[in-house]
């Protein structure tokens, strides 16, 4: 599903150049659950952004589901991302002005050829599944952290994406809510969704099938997790 | 002092925002000052005379018992009217005067200059109008022939430092002696002559008729004694003139007085000028003040934390409000500097705008800038100051900005409505101007010139032949006046001598109809015979209840009594515009100039292209060929365009106001959108991550602004519809598909607003969303 070869990402200022990713090779097969770990500043989030088509590499190649995507323009990256990739963030990133239902429905509104009726059906289904139906009309500020992250996951999966990218999904949650979220991700993976997750937590990484360790922009190890 | 230094630092920290605030306030202030000055000009019209409320103007009004027709009151009356009122009501009338006015050419030694306004008046002129006499005894002097009083301004211009008293000057080629000097009234006065010539100078030469038997009429005024009951006096004046000029043949004359200050303010054009200056002034001051408030409130997100710190350190709401008001005052002082510079250059380089004396208006009411300052300070400074002072300390450190959007949208609403209003109005006034200039006049003005030849002497016949035979002259005719200048009136009477209606009357030679390019719908043009013949227009035929087709059948030529003469009507021309489109269609009769009268009157010529060059050539060639003859010609389209000077003035004022409002509103809009983008950057990023493209983000922001812009545009269009309706009421024609222009102007403004939002949001829409999410 994801194939990255000799990929680098450098950030330049007028005086210095910082290499966030240094000539890495990385592959994720369909149905995998990969945890990316490493110290702060090692390039985890940069890699996730490039995988999620939010950023372009400086050099190297990246194939997503067979498409060459490393040099796509913003417009094309958006088009390819729609409905294929779902995002889950550490700080949930819900829109405060939209209620739970509207937040979850958001990605569907940007997909073509989906009727309002179909959008409503899919949203209702996912709210039921995430046990959020009773909170559909609540606004993010009225929810607990765990509930907010469940809304964020619901939003990420409502388009039935093939790939979910999670950036420290339990970083802002207590252990009970964190476990709940990880179980959800695991459940989604079991149903066939590919998941790439950045985390600092060994506990969370234990839910993955493989752990990739990054250090100073290089992949230093890729270890299968034995459940 | 510390607060002032802090305020200056705040302003310096955002130089771009401060510059925009100062510039938009300064421009708005300059235009508001001009509009306020216009308002003051009108309100104070005729208030410059001493005890001006006691000055009344005499009106004369004809009504016809046979037809029920009532003429509009005339501002001029028969010569002896003022004197009769003065003599018959000595307890109520302190002074009365009849005047006549014209332009004047003054010669004194090497000085030769036309002075614009000369009044011919009797000895009570200054006493009636309360104009201060600086030297001389006008009661005695103005009763004598060939005496002139000069205004202080014209005396200085003509004589410089020399004493003018007793000196002889030539006024319109008459030798007159300067016997007195008076203080010239302000420009916003009905009577503001540069020179006053004694009445006997005219009357003794029989240049004007002075009596109750028609003929020349005079503007006349009276000064009432304090406490006079005007209603009662008018009844008695009416009774008096019922005896002096009793009703005859169904024609009744009424004489009455009205406050002089009501005359100018009663003109339709004044009412429109007043309404437009008030409406535009209010729109502009609201937009200017609220834009400042909007920009200030928009900065709240950045400044809330500092305010919180002040509050935590012990500042209360009044202290915060005071700081902000001080900031407003400092900004306004800088803006006043900008406004003063703008007004200085306007005054320096623009003497008049379409005959309105801008220089005088601006110099007369210099203090008005302080009034505008105060209004802007209150409207623009108080709402943000109040808002800033009320920020709860508990909220300033997190997410206060979102609470302001209602405020900002309300302010935007007013601004958008303002810009739509003036833009629609500008559109309508411009389209109407184009319509009146391009609409069918009923004659072809395109190659017409007209003018006079003076000092012709014995050259009349030769000169006529000379003009007629110029290769670039297609045709030439003679007339008393041309349609653009209008015509005087005369009664059309029935068989029993009763008045049927009043018609415009002209005298013209054969060939006038064809030279003017009028459309003859029946009969023929007049011939140069001794028999009185007339060509009339369709309206005349309608009022006579004559049918155009049958009236001339079988060679018939109907007869009509105009004035005291029986005239044979030989032809009918299509109705044409007399005066301008502000006048209704009027009946018109043009009587032939008798065959034994070979005066030139006014020459009308149809010439070939290039019209302007040929006109100049003819005016230059005539004196060269005929020594001593002076000739001058004007081209008809220019004279017609001059009739719409006021329309152009309004268009110019509205155009300048629109541009300033547009600048201010766009500045406010840019500030709003930038603030919105900053406030919603995280939301935009999240939407992008979830699949929103560039166009989705632009649409999102445009939709938000459109939510405010569309209803405000509707309000602006509705207000413009009302104001435009007032404007169009003056005209007897209006553009076709009028609603379409309002709609198009409204849509145009909406497109401009949304294009501005789209352009501003494009960069954010294409930014990498990761940056925004990271910064969260």
């Amino acid at each position: 599903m994801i194939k990255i070869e000799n990929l680098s990402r450098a950030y330049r200022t007028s005086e210095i150049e910082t290499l966030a990713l240094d000539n890495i090779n990385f592959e994720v097969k369909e149905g995998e659950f990969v945890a990316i770990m490493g110290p702060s500043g090692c390039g985890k989030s940069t890699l996730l952004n490039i995988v999620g088509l939010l950023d372009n590499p400086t050099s190297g190649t990246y194939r997503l589901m067979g498409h060459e995507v490393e040099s796509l323009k913003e417009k094309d990256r958006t088009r390819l991302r729609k409905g294929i990739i779902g995002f889950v963030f550490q700080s949930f990133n819900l829109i405060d002005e939209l209620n739970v239902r509207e937040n979850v429905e958001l990605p569907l509104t940007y997909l073509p050829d989906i009727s309002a009726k179909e959008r409503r059906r899919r949203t209702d289904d996912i709210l039921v599944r995430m046990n959020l139906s009773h909170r559909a009309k609540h606004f993010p500020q009225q929810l607990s952290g765990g509930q907010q992250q469940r809304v964020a996951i619901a939003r990420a999966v409502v388009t039935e994406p093939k790939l979910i990218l999670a950036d420290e999904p339990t970083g802002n949650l207590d252990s009970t809510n964190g476990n709940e979220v990880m179980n959800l991700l695991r459940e989604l993976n079991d149903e066939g969704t590919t998941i790439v997750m950045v985390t600092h937590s060994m506990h969370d990484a234990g839910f993955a099938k493989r752990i990739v360790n990054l250090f100073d922009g290089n992949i230093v190890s890729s270890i299968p997790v034995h459940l | 002092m510390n607060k002032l230094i802090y305020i200056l630092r705040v302003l310096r920290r955002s130089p771009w925002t401060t510059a925009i605030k100062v510039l938009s306030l300064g421009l708005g202030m300059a235009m508001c000052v001009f509009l306020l000055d216009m308002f003051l000009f009108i309100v104070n019209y005729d208030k410059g005379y001493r005890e001006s409320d006691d000055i009344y103007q005499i009106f004369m009004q004809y009504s016809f018992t046979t037809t029920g027709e009532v003429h509009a009151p005339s501002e001029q009356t028969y010569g002896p009217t003022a004197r009769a009122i003065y003599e018959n009501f000595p307890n109520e009338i302190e002074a009365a005067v009849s005047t006549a006015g014209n332009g004047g050419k003054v010669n004194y030694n090497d000085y030769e200059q036309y002075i614009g306004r000369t009044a011919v008046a009797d000895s009570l002129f200054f006493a009636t109008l309360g104009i201060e006499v600086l030297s001389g005894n006008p009661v005695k002097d103005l009763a004598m022939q060939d005496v002139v009083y000069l205004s202080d301004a014209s005396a200085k211009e003509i004589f410089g430092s020399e004493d003018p008293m007793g000196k002889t000057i030539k006024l319109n080629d008459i030798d007159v002696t300067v016997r007195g000097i008076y203080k010239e009234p302000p420009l916003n006065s009905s009577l503001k002559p540069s020179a006053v010539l004694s009445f006997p100078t005219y009357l003794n030469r029989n240049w004007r008729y002075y009596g109750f038997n028609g003929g020349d009429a005079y503007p006349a005024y009276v000064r009432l004694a304090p406490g006079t009951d005007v209603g009662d006096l008018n009844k008695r004046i009416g009774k008096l003139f019922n005896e002096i000029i009793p009703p005859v043949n169904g024609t009744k004359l009424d004489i009455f007085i009205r406050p002089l200050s009501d005359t100018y303010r009663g003109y339709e054009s004044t009412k429109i000028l007043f309404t437009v200056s008030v409406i535009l002034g209010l729109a502009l001051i609201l937009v200017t003040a609220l834009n400042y408030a909007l920009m200030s409130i928009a900065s709240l997100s950045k400044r809330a934390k500092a305010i919180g710190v002040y509050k935590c350190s012990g500042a209360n709401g009044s202290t915060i409000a005071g700081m902000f008001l001080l900031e407003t005052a400092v900004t306004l002082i800088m803006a006043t500097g900008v406004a003063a510079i703008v007004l200085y250059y306007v005054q320096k380089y623009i003497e008049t705008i379409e005959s309105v004396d801008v220089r005088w208006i601006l110099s007369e009411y210099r203090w008005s800038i302080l009034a505008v300052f105060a209004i802007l300070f209150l409207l623009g400074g108080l709402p943000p100051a109040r808002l800033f002072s009320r920020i709860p300390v508990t909220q300033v450190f997190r997410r206060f900005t979102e609470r302001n959007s209602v405020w900002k949208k309300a302010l935007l609403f007013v601004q958008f409505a303002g810009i739509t209003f003036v833009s629609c109005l500008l559109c309508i006034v411009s389209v109407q101007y184009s319509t009146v200039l391009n609409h069918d006049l009923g004659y072809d003005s395109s190659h017409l010139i007209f003018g006079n030849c003076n000092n012709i002497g014995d050259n009349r016949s030769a000169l006529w032949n000379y003009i007629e035979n110029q290769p670039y002259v297609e045709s030439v005719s003679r007339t008393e006046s041309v349609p653009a200048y209008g015509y005087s009136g005369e009664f059309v009477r029935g068989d029993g001598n009763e008045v049927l209606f009043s018609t415009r009357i002209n005298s013209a030679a054969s060939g006038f109809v064809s030279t003017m390019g009028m459309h003859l719908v029946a009969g023929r043009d007049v011939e140069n015979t001794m028999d009185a013949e007339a060509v009339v227009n369709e309206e005349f035929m309608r009022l006579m209840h004559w049918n155009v087709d049958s009236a001339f059948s079988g060679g018939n030529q109907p007869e009509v009594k105009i004035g005291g003469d029986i005239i044979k009507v030989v032809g009918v021309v299509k109705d044409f515009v007399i005066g301008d489109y502000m006048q209704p269609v009027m009946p018109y009769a043009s009587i032939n100039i008798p065959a034994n009268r070979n005066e030139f009157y006014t020459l009308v010529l149809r010439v070939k292209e290039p019209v302007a060059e040929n006109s100049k050539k003819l005016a230059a060639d005539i004196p060269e060929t005929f020594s001593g003859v002076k000739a001058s010609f004007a081209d008809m389209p220019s004279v017609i365009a001059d009739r719409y000077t006021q329309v152009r003035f309004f268009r110019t004022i509205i155009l300048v106001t629109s541009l300033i409002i547009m600048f201010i509103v766009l500045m406010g809009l840019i500030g709003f959108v930038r603030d919105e983008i900053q406030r919603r950057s995280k939301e935009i990023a999240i939407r992008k991550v979830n699949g929103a493209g560039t166009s989705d983000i632009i649409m999102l922001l445009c939709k938000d602004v459109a939510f405010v812009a569309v209803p405000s545009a509707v309000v602006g269009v509705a207000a413009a519809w009302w104001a435009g309706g007032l404007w169009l009421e003056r005209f007897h024609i209006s553009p076709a598909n009028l609603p379409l222009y309002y709609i198009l102007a409204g849509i145009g403004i909406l497109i401009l607003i949304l294009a501005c939002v789209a352009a501003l949001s494009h960069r954010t829409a294409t930014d990498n969303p990761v940056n925004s999410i990271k910064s969260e």
Side-chain angles (χ1 to χ4, degrees):
Chain A
M1 171 168 258
I2 297 167
K3 190 166 186 183
I4 285 170
E5 288 176 333
N6 304 320
L7 185 141
S8 295
R9 178 68 170 98
Y11 293 102
R12 290 187 185 88
T13 64
S14 55
E15 290 172 2
I16 54 165
E17 183 180 281
T18 309
L19 209 53
L21 294 173
D22 184 9
N23 208 32
I24 63 165
N25 293 292
F26 176 57
E27 190 171 357
V28 178
K29 293 199 161 47
E30 202 167 330
E32 263 199 298
F33 188 162
V34 177
I36 301 172
M37 297 192 73
S40 293
C42 69
K44 303 186 295 290
S45 294
T46 303
L47 177 60
L48 200 70
N49 288 338
I50 290 172
V51 169
L53 302 178
L54 297 176
D55 200 359
N56 273 345
T58 312
S59 63
T61 59
Y62 171 24
R63 290 179 73 83
L64 174 66
M65 296 166 68
H67 299 279
E68 290 278 356
V69 295
E70 70 274 0
S71 57
L72 288 180
K73 287 182 180 166
E74 163 69 20
K75 197 176 161 186
D76 300 318
R77 278 191 276 143
T78 303
R79 200 172 52 224
L80 193 58
R81 199 164 59 218
K82 272 186 203 177
I84 292 177
I85 305 173
F87 290 87
V88 179
F89 299 96
Q90 178 182 355
S91 53
F92 325 134
N93 282 337
L94 300 176
I95 296 175
D96 295 335
E97 289 81 5
L98 303 182
N99 64 24
V100 167
R101 173 189 292 282
E102 289 161 345
N103 264 293
V104 172
E105 194 182 14
L106 185 71
L108 294 174
T109 61
Y110 296 119
L111 287 179
D113 305 328
I114 296 190
S115 66
K117 194 177 168 187
E118 175 64 8
R119 282 207 307 267
R120 198 162 46 245
R121 188 192 64 74
R122 284 211 211 176
T123 307
D124 286 345
D125 286 353
I126 204 73
L127 286 175
V128 169
R129 181 170 174 192
M130 296 289 166
N131 198 21
L132 286 166
S133 297
H134 61 299
R135 297 285 192 184
K137 289 188 177 171
H138 285 70
F139 285 88
Q141 302 95 311
Q142 297 168 305
L143 304 178
S144 70
Q147 285 171 329
Q148 287 192 44
Q149 194 61 300
R150 286 217 310 271
V151 175
I153 294 171
R155 185 179 65 189
V157 300
V158 74
T159 57
E160 295 167 6
K162 292 197 168 10
L163 173 65
I164 288 180
L165 301 174
D167 192 354
E168 301 201 38
T170 62
N172 283 357
L173 300 176
D174 60 34
S175 57
T176 312
N177 280 311
N179 274 335
E180 197 183 329
V181 165
M182 287 314 301
N183 281 324
L184 261 173
L185 290 177
R186 183 62 183 271
E187 209 176 293
L188 289 166
N189 180 244
D190 289 344
E191 288 168 7
T193 310
T194 310
I195 297 178
V196 178
M197 175 181 71
V198 163
T199 183
H200 278 110
S201 160
M202 271 310 292
H203 173 263
D204 289 354
F207 283 83
K209 291 176 180 166
R210 181 157 62 103
I211 298 174
V212 172
N213 277 299
L214 272 173
F215 187 78
D216 278 353
N218 292 294
I219 292 176
V220 291
S221 66
S222 176
I223 309 159
V225 177
H226 300 288
L227 296 171
Chain B
M1 191 62 189
N2 282 345
K3 280 183 188 168
L4 184 63
I5 291 168
Y6 168 75
I7 296 302
L8 290 173
R9 281 182 188 153
V10 167
L11 294 175
R12 206 175 56 186
R13 206 174 52 200
S14 315
W16 173 244
T17 309
T18 304
I20 293 292
K21 278 183 184 173
V22 168
L23 196 60
S24 49
L25 275 174
L27 286 175
M29 193 183 252
M31 194 62 197
C32 283
V33 166
F34 178 69
L35 291 169
L36 178 61
D37 287 356
M38 294 256 298
F39 171 82
L40 292 168
F41 180 88
I42 297 165
V43 169
N44 290 307
Y45 207 90
D46 282 332
K47 297 282 184 187
Y49 304 121
R50 177 177 54 82
E51 291 162 1
S52 59
D53 290 345
D54 292 334
I55 307 170
Y56 281 67
Q57 184 166 5
I58 303 172
F59 285 84
M60 177 170 81
Q61 185 171 32
Y62 273 103
S63 55
F64 307 100
T65 50
T66 46
T67 60
E69 189 185 355
V70 179
H71 277 196
S74 165
E75 286 180 35
Q76 301 192 11
T77 181
Y78 296 127
T81 309
R83 192 173 69 192
I85 292 174
Y86 179 58
E87 287 172 356
N88 282 279
F89 305 103
N91 295 326
E92 290 83 2
I93 305 295
E94 286 186 347
V97 66
S98 288
T99 70
N102 59 2
K105 188 185 75 175
V106 171
N107 291 84
Y108 177 70
N109 295 339
D110 295 334
Y111 181 91
E112 179 176 313
Q113 193 75 44
Y114 279 94
I115 53 174
R117 303 170 297 271
T118 306
V120 181
D122 59 31
S123 55
L124 290 180
F125 178 79
F126 297 109
T128 307
L129 292 171
I131 296 172
E132 187 184 353
V133 177
L134 301 172
S135 58
N137 180 355
V139 176
K140 189 178 120 209
D141 298 332
L142 291 179
M144 296 191 296
Q145 187 177 325
D146 299 338
V147 166
V148 71
Y149 269 54
L150 294 176
S151 74
D152 49 355
S154 51
K156 194 176 172 190
E157 193 186 321
I158 298 165
F159 293 97
S161 56
E162 199 180 341
D163 181 10
M165 294 295 280
K167 301 279 185 334
T168 299
I169 60 171
K170 271 192 190 299
L171 183 62
N172 293 336
D173 297 325
I174 310 169
D175 286 327
V176 290
T177 307
V178 180
R179 295 272 187 210
I181 307 294
Y182 60 90
K183 192 168 168 44
E184 190 165 303
L187 203 66
N188 55 343
S189 305
S190 296
L191 277 134
K192 41 189 177 290
S194 304
V196 176
L197 192 64
S198 63
F199 230 125
T201 310
Y202 264 44
L203 295 186
N204 293 353
R205 290 180 170 88
N206 289 325
W207 284 351
R208 290 183 77 94
Y209 171 74
Y210 186 83
F212 284 118
N213 294 322
D216 292 325
Y218 302 79
Y221 309 90
V222 294
R223 174 173 286 274
L224 298 194
T228 300
D229 180 346
V230 180
D232 178 60
L233 179 62
N234 264 331
K235 279 182 197 160
R236 290 159 64 202
I237 289 173
K239 203 173 159 196
L240 169 70
F241 281 93
N242 217 19
E243 289 166 11
I244 294 173
I245 312 168
V248 59
N249 295 327
T251 308
K252 187 174 179 298
L253 176 75
D254 284 307
I255 301 282
F256 56 89
I257 59 170
R258 274 184 192 164
L260 172 61
S261 53
D262 286 357
T263 303
Y264 177 77
R265 286 202 289 273
Y267 295 148
E268 273 305 308
S269 57
T270 310
K271 286 180 190 167
I272 295 287
L273 184 64
F274 181 83
T275 311
V276 166
S277 60
V278 168
I279 291 173
L280 287 183
L282 285 177
L284 186 59
I285 208 157
L286 266 180
V287 167
T288 309
L290 297 186
N291 181 67
Y292 175 75
L294 178 68
M295 290 179 84
S296 302
I297 292 171
S299 70
L300 199 51
S301 56
K302 289 179 198 160
R303 300 175 65 176
K305 204 171 275 181
I307 290 165
V309 173
Y310 265 99
K311 283 200 165 182
C312 288
S313 307
N316 59 20
S318 319
T319 317
I320 301 295
M323 281 169 62
F324 188 78
L325 287 175
L326 182 63
E327 184 182 322
T328 304
V330 170
T331 312
L332 271 172
I333 288 168
M334 291 192 278
T336 307
V338 172
I341 292 168
V342 171
L343 291 171
Y344 171 77
Y345 280 103
V346 167
Q347 221 173 329
K348 189 174 178 184
Y349 294 112
I350 305 173
E351 193 174 343
T352 58
I353 299 176
E354 304 293 355
S355 82
V356 173
D357 199 322
V358 175
R359 191 170 290 174
W360 186 86
I361 289 176
L362 288 177
S363 61
E364 186 67 13
Y365 307 109
R366 285 182 200 279
W367 56 268
S368 59
I369 199 164
L370 296 176
V372 174
F373 182 106
I375 296 169
L376 287 176
F377 180 74
L378 292 175
L379 282 177
L382 279 184
R386 191 176 150 82
L387 196 71
F388 275 41
S389 66
R390 287 183 149 200
I391 301 174
V393 183
T394 50
Q395 290 190 29
V396 290
F397 299 113
R398 58 188 172 94
R399 296 206 171 279
F400 191 77
T401 51
E402 281 160 27
R403 291 170 173 267
N404 306 319
S405 55
V406 174
W407 260 99
K408 286 187 275 185
K409 283 178 181 171
L411 294 175
L412 265 187
F413 183 93
V414 176
Q415 298 212 44
F416 289 161
I419 183 64
T420 312
F421 169 71
V422 287
S423 301
C424 284
L425 213 52
L426 174 65
C427 175
I428 292 307
V429 171
S430 303
V431 169
Q432 177 65 0
Y433 180 65
S434 168
T435 304
V436 294
L437 282 192
N438 298 315
H439 202 267
D440 181 16
L441 293 164
Y443 59 90
D444 178 10
S445 67
S446 58
H447 291 83
L448 280 183
I449 64 169
F450 67 99
N452 298 95
C453 293
N454 297 320
N455 299 331
I456 298 171
D458 297 331
N459 297 314
R460 195 171 306 276
S461 178
L463 180 56
W464 179 265
N465 288 334
Y466 175 80
I467 294 170
E468 207 172 27
N469 290 318
Q470 292 305 305
Y472 49 84
V473 174
E474 289 181 347
S475 65
V476 57
S477 186
R478 297 175 291 149
T479 179
E480 198 168 297
S481 184
V482 292
Y485 285 159
Y487 298 104
S488 58
E490 186 60 272
F491 296 132
V492 176
R493 295 179 184 274
D495 295 337
N497 213 32
E498 76 284 8
V499 172
L500 299 178
F501 58 89
S502 172
T503 182
R504 300 296 96 194
I505 191 88
N506 187 28
S507 287
S510 174
F512 178 69
V513 169
S514 58
T515 303
M516 286 296 294
M518 289 174 171
H519 309 292
L520 204 59
V521 293
R524 59 168 173 80
D525 192 4
V526 294
E527 287 172 357
N528 296 336
T529 67
M530 288 305 290
D531 299 327
E533 297 185 336
V535 166
V536 299
N537 69 347
E538 292 170 314
E539 178 68 6
F540 190 102
M541 297 290 285
R542 272 191 290 275
L543 291 172
M544 288 299 296
H545 306 293
W546 288 346
N547 185 291
V548 175
D549 297 326
S550 58
F552 298 92
S553 61
N556 182 42
Q557 289 174 332
E559 289 183 338
V560 64
K561 191 173 185 182
I562 301 176
D565 304 319
I566 301 291
I567 315 278
K568 194 193 294 171
V569 176
V570 297
V572 181
V573 292
K574 192 168 175 271
D575 287 335
F576 59 93
V577 175
I578 297 173
D580 52 41
Y581 276 111
M582 285 168 252
Q583 315 292 327
V585 175
M586 292 178 277
Y588 161 86
S590 179
I591 300 168
N592 59 342
I593 295 171
N596 60 348
R597 301 285 299 271
N598 62 353
E599 293 95 329
F600 275 14
Y601 298 86
T602 295
L603 291 175
V604 182
L605 301 98
R606 182 163 293 280
V607 296
K608 293 176 183 166
E609 289 285 0
V611 177
E613 280 78 355
N614 286 336
S615 173
K616 279 182 197 160
K617 185 173 161 51
L618 188 62
D621 286 351
I622 288 173
E624 278 182 20
T625 314
F626 300 91
S627 178
V629 177
K630 291 180 180 173
S632 62
F633 296 97
D635 70 300
M636 195 72 84
S638 305
V639 171
I640 292 168
D642 282 348
R643 296 284 307 193
Y644 301 105
T645 300
Q646 208 179 41
V647 181
R648 283 202 305 274
F649 173 70
F650 287 139
R651 193 185 55 169
T652 308
I653 294 298
I654 295 171
L655 176 68
V656 175
T657 310
S658 304
L659 289 176
I660 291 175
I661 288 184
M662 200 170 285
F663 172 78
I664 293 170
V665 169
L666 288 182
M667 289 301 113
L669 182 63
I670 289 169
F672 173 82
V673 174
R674 282 166 66 176
D675 184 56
E676 277 296 286
I677 288 170
Q678 190 181 26
R679 191 176 70 82
R680 300 178 69 174
S681 56
K682 181 191 152 195
E683 180 197 337
I684 291 168
I686 295 168
R687 285 181 184 272
K688 288 186 74 176
V689 166
N690 281 285
T694 305
S695 58
D696 295 315
I697 299 303
I698 292 173
M699 280 296 288
L700 176 76
L701 291 165
C702 283
K703 210 166 99 183
D704 253 24
V705 173
F707 192 69
V708 179
V710 170
S712 66
V714 171
V715 170
V717 168
W721 179 275
W722 169 76
L726 284 181
W727 166 251
L728 292 171
E729 267 177 20
R730 300 181 63 203
F731 299 90
H732 289 271
I733 58 161
S734 56
N737 304 317
L738 195 59
L740 193 66
Y741 291 106
Y742 285 100
I743 292 166
L744 285 177
I747 290 173
I749 288 299
L750 277 179
I751 289 172
L752 177 74
I753 290 168
L754 295 178
C756 184
V757 176
L760 286 168
S761 49
H762 184 264
R763 192 178 155 190
T764 306
T766 51
D767 262 1
N768 191 338
V770 174
N771 300 331
S772 300
I773 292 174
K774 256 188 203 164
S775 68
E776 284 287 318

